[in-house]
Amino acid sequence: MRGFVAILLILIYLSVIIAQGDVDIPVIPGGGGGSSSGGGGHSYTDIDNFIRQVESWKTNDPDRFDYLKTLFYKQNITTSKYVPPGVWMYFPSKNKTISRYDDVAIGALVQDDKNPLEIRRALYLTLEIQEPGDKSFKPAKTATQIIQVNEYDDKEKTSLRNFPEITSFSFLKQVGDVRLRVKATDGQNNYYSTIQSDDPAHGYYHELLLHVYNIPPQINNTTMSVSPNTAKWDDYIQYTASLEDQSRSQNEATIAGKEENSVQITLHIYNRSDEVFNITKPFLPADTISFSTKDANIFKEMDAGKNFSYRYSSTDGIKGGNNTTWTKLGYGPSIKPNPKIRVTDLKVSSEDNNYYWWQGYNFGLKAKSQAAEPVSFRVDLYTDTPAHPGRLIAAQTIIAPTNDSMDVLFKDMNPFDVADANQTFDYYFRYSVPDQNGLMYSYAIEGPKQINPKLIRYTLYSPIMVANILLIMGLALLGGIMIERRFYRRREG
């Protein structure tokens, strides 16, 4: 002990005299026959006085003396009195059944109440883990924690260390029982926390046993969409969705590495109840899920005219528990039929520009076969007014040629009556085969003018009106004569 104090005092003394500018370093006398400088004797006297002062502190003020010792580096001292500190796993939570994504704080508690400060040693702590399915422990992917000799609290002589890299068990590839222990070494002794006794009330364990279960990835049903919902079989079609709880999943990817934490998503395509196609791709948890016809030829020409539905399955591949979930069924797309005809130049005109309800109208379009041979099909003409919505006016069957478009005419139609006066109208056509857009109808086309509100077709002085009046008067006169002859002359007779 006196040797330690001497070394301590020499270090203190050197720092003091260097600070004061005194460079006369004392020479320790020995068999070399050397002599000290002129001020050496005075320096030895100062050291002797200081030694006596420090020894007085040790006796009369031990707390301050112990604090003084902590200010200097202390090498390990081999002594039979040294007792390895006690080491425990520290887990303050009472819940030992957790998910892979639950936040955890894993620590180690060390107590060194057997060794005085001068014989303590720095302690190195390594966390070891036995993952589900493993038969032995292995070092966890955490940094070694070091507890220095002066890093114990004064009262309980304990020190607590966390292993900050373990914030959850999302890195596990198999769920089940997880065991954790601490390996401690002081440079001479290697031992484990497993030699201690448990104190669950305070969160101290010789070995920590946790039951870890899996929460498989889930897709948010409300984010599912397919665009466009109606398309040709060779159009660009895209399916999109997103995973639930992206913040948690992003944390998983950040901790353990993006590649090993990707989620496998499968898109399933159905025609009625039959699965006709599926494709699987990996996605990072925070990514938008996206499949499209660029990934694969999802639809073929023979699918034209069919309606499809879809859903997703998602899996993280975790063993030992549930690892797959399914979404609800989504609908679409409807694949347009393959075109058989090409329709252009839809038009309407009336007998004159007044568009009276009682005058004749002409409707028409041009049609051409889209196939290698002429196509026979039916065309239906419809008009639409507030008084008569969706009225079928006429229909005809034609044979569309392959070389040039032919006119399809509906001449001198009378689609309106007096109830349609002063109203607007639309017209459209329906076909028995799909057109160039895969549709079997045209979109409604607004008539060029409002239906004229004039109710009477001819003026009062027109020949037709005069003839009609004379005819009515003649019929009335003829009726009067017949009545007179039948009733009045019979009475006179």
Side-chain angles (χ1 to χ4, degrees):
M1 179 63 194
R2 184 178 180 86
F4 165 76
V5 173
I7 294 173
L8 176 64
L9 293 175
I10 290 172
L11 292 174
I12 296 174
Y13 177 72
L14 289 177
S15 64
V16 171
I17 63 176
I18 290 172
Q20 293 175 346
D22 188 354
V23 295
D24 290 334
I25 308 299
V27 178
I28 298 175
S35 62
S36 63
S37 64
H42 178 70
S43 298
Y44 278 120
T45 302
D46 290 342
I47 293 176
D48 289 339
N49 292 335
F50 200 75
I51 289 175
R52 287 192 293 272
Q53 181 64 47
V54 172
E55 288 177 337
S56 174
W57 292 342
K58 179 181 177 182
T59 303
N60 302 321
D61 197 350
D63 290 340
R64 185 170 296 180
F65 178 76
D66 286 342
Y67 174 72
L68 181 64
K69 289 190 294 182
T70 65
L71 299 179
F72 295 88
Y73 174 75
K74 180 74 169 66
Q75 291 185 342
N76 290 337
I77 299 176
T78 302
T79 174
S80 60
K81 296 181 180 180
Y82 176 78
V83 178
V87 179
W88 289 264
M89 287 297 308
Y90 180 67
F91 189 74
S93 174
K94 304 301 182 184
N95 184 19
K96 303 299 188 301
T97 300
I98 60 176
S99 79
R100 291 175 60 236
Y101 305 105
D102 287 342
D103 293 332
V104 295
I106 305 296
L109 180 80
V110 178
Q111 185 177 40
D112 193 352
D113 57 350
K114 306 295 184 184
N115 302 307
L117 180 64
E118 57 267 20
I119 66 171
R120 285 181 188 167
R121 303 172 186 174
L123 198 62
Y124 297 80
L125 306 177
T126 303
L127 180 66
E128 296 189 344
I129 184 171
Q130 182 180 346
E131 297 184 5
D134 290 349
K135 296 182 179 180
S136 60
F137 283 86
K138 62 183 179 182
K141 294 181 179 180
T142 61
T144 299
Q145 298 297 314
I146 305 174
I147 300 181
Q148 301 293 348
V149 296
N150 59 343
E151 292 185 311
Y152 295 86
D153 66 72
D154 294 333
K155 183 178 181 181
E156 301 293 337
K157 307 300 182 184
T158 60
S159 185
L160 180 64
R161 283 290 188 275
N162 284 326
F163 296 95
E165 296 86 355
I166 304 294
T167 59
S168 75
F169 288 96
S170 59
F171 59 88
L172 292 178
K173 294 305 178 183
Q174 181 170 335
V175 291
D177 289 345
V178 175
R179 299 179 184 274
L180 298 160
R181 69 183 184 186
V182 177
K183 179 181 179 180
T185 180
D186 56 17
Q188 291 185 337
N189 302 292
N190 295 315
Y191 57 99
Y192 295 92
S193 59
T194 50
I195 65 176
Q196 306 298 334
S197 299
D198 290 349
D199 185 2
H202 295 91
Y204 309 148
Y205 301 90
H206 76 287
E207 179 181 282
L208 180 60
L209 174 62
L210 299 175
H211 307 283
V212 182
Y213 62 91
N214 186 43
I215 300 178
Q218 295 185 356
I219 294 176
N220 187 336
N221 286 316
T222 62
T223 63
M224 293 171 52
S225 67
V226 56
S227 178
N229 200 266
T230 301
K232 294 187 292 184
W233 70 269
D234 57 351
D235 281 347
Y236 174 76
I237 300 171
Q238 185 179 33
Y239 297 83
T240 58
S242 63
L243 287 161
E244 294 274 16
D245 198 357
Q246 293 190 16
S247 60
R248 179 199 70 187
S249 299
Q250 180 62 43
N251 183 52
E252 175 190 359
T254 301
I255 292 174
K258 293 183 177 181
E259 184 174 344
E260 61 179 303
N261 284 276
S262 61
V263 177
Q264 297 294 320
I265 308 294
T266 302
L267 170 66
H268 305 264
I269 307 293
Y270 299 89
N271 180 19
R272 298 181 180 177
S273 59
D274 299 326
E275 182 172 344
V276 296
F277 184 85
N278 65 71
I279 181 174
T280 301
K281 289 171 55 178
F283 292 93
L284 297 181
D287 286 349
T288 297
I289 298 167
S290 177
F291 293 88
S292 74
T293 49
K294 288 184 177 180
D295 300 319
N297 295 323
I298 299 177
F299 302 106
K300 299 177 176 58
E301 186 173 2
M302 64 182 182
D303 294 323
K306 298 178 182 178
N307 297 320
F308 293 88
S309 56
Y310 69 98
R311 63 175 176 168
Y312 299 97
S313 63
S314 55
T315 180
D316 53 16
I318 300 300
K319 298 179 181 179
N322 185 20
N323 61 16
T324 302
T325 57
W326 291 79
T327 68
K328 69 175 184 180
L329 196 66
Y331 296 95
S334 296
I335 304 300
K336 298 177 182 179
N338 289 326
K340 297 293 184 181
I341 57 173
R342 180 174 180 82
V343 178
T344 59
D345 298 335
L346 283 66
K347 59 186 177 181
V348 63
S349 62
S350 64
E351 292 177 347
D352 61 42
N353 291 329
N354 289 312
Y355 283 80
Y356 298 118
W357 63 266
W358 31 259
Q359 66 185 134
Y361 287 76
N362 299 317
F363 299 86
L365 54 82
K366 290 182 180 293
K368 178 184 177 180
S369 172
Q370 292 278 86
E373 63 280 335
V375 175
S376 175
F377 68 101
R378 171 177 164 153
V379 184
D380 297 333
L381 169 65
Y382 288 83
T383 60
D384 189 61
T385 65
H388 301 96
R391 174 185 278 183
L392 175 62
I393 304 303
Q396 58 177 299
T397 299
I398 66 167
I399 299 177
T402 59
N403 48 2
D404 295 320
S405 296
M406 66 172 293
D407 290 318
V408 181
L409 302 176
F410 293 85
K411 290 186 175 182
D412 200 22
M413 299 289 106
N414 295 103
F416 310 118
D417 60 28
V418 66
D420 299 316
N422 205 31
Q423 296 183 0
T424 59
F425 74 93
D426 295 333
Y427 69 97
Y428 56 93
F429 299 92
R430 290 189 179 276
Y431 325 118
S432 59
V433 295
D435 64 8
Q436 68 270 23
N437 298 313
L439 303 176
M440 301 180 71
Y441 57 88
S442 71
Y443 294 108
I445 304 172
E446 186 177 358
K449 289 187 178 182
Q450 188 174 10
I451 298 174
N452 198 299
K454 182 179 180 181
L455 299 180
I456 300 176
R457 182 171 185 177
Y458 302 102
T459 62
L460 183 62
Y461 301 106
S462 65
I464 293 179
M465 288 297 292
V466 171
N468 287 337
I469 292 172
L470 292 176
L471 178 60
I472 293 172
M473 293 177 63
L475 291 175
L477 179 60
L478 180 60
I481 293 173
M482 293 178 65
I483 291 173
E484 180 185 7
R485 286 183 178 182
R486 182 172 181 178
F487 292 102
Y488 290 98
R489 292 186 180 183
R490 182 181 298 175
R491 186 179 300 175
E492 291 176 0

